[in-house]
């Protein structure tokens, strides 16, 4: 869920934050993204980063 929190990095630009909710428990501002980064940081555009104890887990399908 999108948070109202914003921050500014002098070389990356403005970051927007998201609350991460798992099993009904919220971790406020635990993910952030740069939607319009500076030219120097353009490669991170729209990539989501996690912090505050979030450890993303991925399932890989083994196929049929």
């Amino acid at each position: 869920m999108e948070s109202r929190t914003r921050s500014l990095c002098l070389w990356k630009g403005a970051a927007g934050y998201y609350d991460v909710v798992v099993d009904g428990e919220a971790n406020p501002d635990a993910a952030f993204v740069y939607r319009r980064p500076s030219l120097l940081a353009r490669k991170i555009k729209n990539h989501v980063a996690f912090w505050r104890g979030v450890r993303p887990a991925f399932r890989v399908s083994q196929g049929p």
Side-chain angles (χ1 to χ4, degrees):
M1 176 172 13
E2 191 167 358
S3 166
R4 295 180 69 166
T5 303
R6 301 288 182 264
S7 66
L8 180 64
C9 172
L10 295 178
W11 74 272
K12 290 182 278 189
Y17 289 78
Y18 289 84
D19 299 338
V20 175
V21 180
V22 176
D23 294 330
E25 291 190 41
N27 189 344
D29 301 332
F32 60 96
V33 63
Y34 291 90
R35 297 283 181 212
R36 289 182 291 261
S38 69
L39 288 176
L40 294 174
R42 65 186 170 272
K43 290 183 180 181
I44 65 170
K45 181 178 182 175
N46 294 325
H47 289 248
V48 177
F50 297 93
W51 68 320
R52 297 194 178 190
V54 174
R55 293 178 54 200
F58 300 93
R59 292 186 190 175
V60 177
S61 175
Q62 296 298 322

